[in-house]
Amino acid sequence: MDPNAIVESVIKWVRGILLDPNPTAAAYRASNAPWKTTVLTLLLPVALVSYVVGYVLAWVTGGSIAFGASAASPLFLVIGIVWGIAFLLIAAFVFDYFAGMFGGTRSFDQAVAMVTLAMIPSTLANILMPVPWIGWLIGLAATIYGLVLLYRFVPVFLVVPEPNRAKHFVVALVTSLIIQIVAGTIIGGMVVSSVVMSSYDDAGVSDTAASGGFGSGIERQAAVMEDAQDDTYDPPSNGRLDDDQVRTYVGVMEKTEALRKRLSKKYEGNGDQQEPASLGDVFGGVGDMMRLTGAEMEVVKGAGGNWAEHMWVKNAIETARVQQDINDDVAHNYALYLEYQAQIDSFD
């Protein structure tokens, strides 16, 4: 998938929902996007941007993020992203399930599209949630507006008849909230007890993570991020790369590309598929999405590498690609880049 195309698509749909929601929803409905495509090209990018920016703001202001926790650890950022995505997918599953009971048309693809579009305002509100005094009010207002959009979108995406529309909405919403409360309590307990972090082994991958699933997605990425943030590296005073560093960098990026391609294949859904997804599909998909976004870090840390050194090498190579020969040290790095140019350029 072309990153630029994804960015343009996200901006298009977000702007449409914020400025002209009804025609935008109808246009997305007509696209018949598979649910995995909606997750990968709309839900995931919006969630990542909103939670990451919100995390930075919480760190600056001392405000709170996921589960009312401060931005003391990337663990809470990972939890916020994963749970935000997971809850929307669970809500889509619930709305889809009850649509069949109330005379609507069951389609998990359309249910995910419906919930994703409707909840764009509340997802974006996570950016301002850490702001003292008014952040929670903004979040509340955005959530209420999102629920209004969700009610409007049900007939568009799931074709629930008007006489049953209110009943379907109330039953599905209450069920989703109950699931959120129960699951949120369980996950909150996991965070407080530090079960997730204690299971990280010497290789950088936990035993539980190897089994797959929703919890392992949180655990794997949180453990990797925690380990990576402790890495330090003192670069040489002249800023020169050596051949081993560039060769290692190329190897890491090749493995990263292979991992991303393997995980991305799971999101190339078949738009003609009619069978509704199971909760197992939903939870497994969330874990894979977290691995997809943190693939480069996972490859580095999984091999016992130094994340700080990796990022320094990456930045030094990019500087050399741009500046080429502004001084002898950059020219040295540029010469190394030219030796591996074909591989490095393929990572863009």
Side-chain angles (χ1 to χ4, degrees):
M1 294 182 182
D2 182 4
N4 292 331
I6 293 177
V7 170
E8 292 175 1
S9 175
V10 170
I11 293 174
K12 168 189 172 182
W13 296 117
V14 169
R15 181 190 294 120
I17 286 297
L18 296 180
L19 300 180
D20 201 7
N22 291 336
T24 300
Y28 199 92
R29 169 66 178 84
S31 71
N32 290 315
W35 73 272
K36 292 180 180 180
T37 299
T38 297
V39 170
L40 187 63
T41 63
L42 184 56
L43 175 55
L44 180 59
V46 172
L48 282 175
V49 170
S50 61
Y51 278 98
V52 169
V53 176
Y55 175 84
V56 173
L57 188 58
W59 186 81
V60 172
T61 65
S64 61
I65 49 175
F67 302 100
S70 65
S73 167
L75 169 64
F76 299 116
L77 170 62
V78 175
I79 291 173
I81 295 171
V82 173
W83 180 239
I85 294 173
F87 176 66
L88 290 187
L89 293 178
I90 292 169
F93 181 87
V94 172
F95 272 81
D96 177 46
Y97 177 80
F98 283 111
M101 297 180 61
F102 286 92
T105 301
R106 290 200 62 184
S107 170
F108 189 67
D109 291 338
Q110 298 300 341
V112 171
M114 175 186 73
V115 175
T116 297
L117 292 174
M119 291 295 110
I120 281 177
S122 61
T123 303
L124 291 177
N126 286 293
I127 295 174
L128 299 177
M129 284 292 285
V131 176
W133 304 110
I134 64 170
W136 71 274
L137 286 173
I138 295 173
L140 178 62
T143 300
I144 293 174
Y145 179 57
L147 293 177
V148 171
L149 292 180
L150 186 60
Y151 184 74
R152 290 182 188 173
F153 292 168
V154 167
V156 177
F157 289 90
L158 299 179
V159 201
V160 175
E162 184 61 32
N164 296 332
R165 182 177 166 192
K167 291 181 288 185
H168 165 264
F169 184 81
V170 171
V171 171
L173 181 62
V174 170
T175 302
S176 299
L177 292 177
I178 291 173
I179 293 174
Q180 181 188 37
I181 292 170
V182 173
T185 301
I186 294 173
I187 295 173
M190 290 171 60
V191 175
V192 173
S193 64
S194 298
V195 171
V196 168
M197 299 310 304
S198 66
S199 61
Y200 181 66
D201 63 17
D202 293 338
V205 179
S206 67
D207 293 336
T208 305
S211 65
F214 171 64
S216 66
I218 299 176
E219 183 177 347
R220 187 186 197 105
Q221 292 308 119
V224 170
M225 292 178 68
E226 281 289 316
D227 194 40
Q229 76 168 352
D230 293 332
D231 286 345
T232 59
Y233 178 69
D234 294 324
S237 58
N238 59 12
R240 290 194 174 196
L241 297 161
D242 61 44
D243 187 73
D244 286 342
Q245 287 177 316
V246 179
R247 187 167 59 251
T248 299
Y249 170 78
V250 170
V252 165
M253 296 308 295
E254 287 176 342
K255 292 177 182 178
T256 298
E257 288 297 301
L259 176 58
R260 285 173 174 163
K261 287 179 180 178
R262 177 165 62 85
L263 294 174
S264 294
K265 287 181 180 178
K266 299 183 179 182
Y267 295 91
E268 297 173 357
N270 182 355
D272 296 330
Q273 184 177 357
Q274 298 299 321
E275 293 185 5
S278 66
L279 282 177
D281 293 332
V282 172
F283 286 137
V286 172
D288 287 335
M289 282 187 294
M290 294 312 300
R291 291 191 67 195
L292 183 65
T293 58
E296 187 174 346
M297 186 179 289
E298 179 179 335
V299 171
V300 173
K301 298 308 298 177
N306 185 309
W307 179 248
E309 180 181 5
H310 172 79
M311 291 305 297
W312 178 79
V313 171
K314 186 173 189 175
N315 291 332
I317 291 174
E318 183 59 27
T319 298
R321 293 172 73 184
V322 174
Q323 304 297 341
Q324 299 185 4
D325 57 359
I326 59 171
N327 57 49
D328 291 342
D329 298 324
V330 173
H332 166 84
N333 292 345
Y334 183 65
L336 280 177
Y337 154 71
L338 291 177
E339 293 182 22
Y340 299 90
Q341 183 176 9
Q343 297 100 310
I344 293 174
D345 288 354
S346 70
F347 305 142
D348 292 339

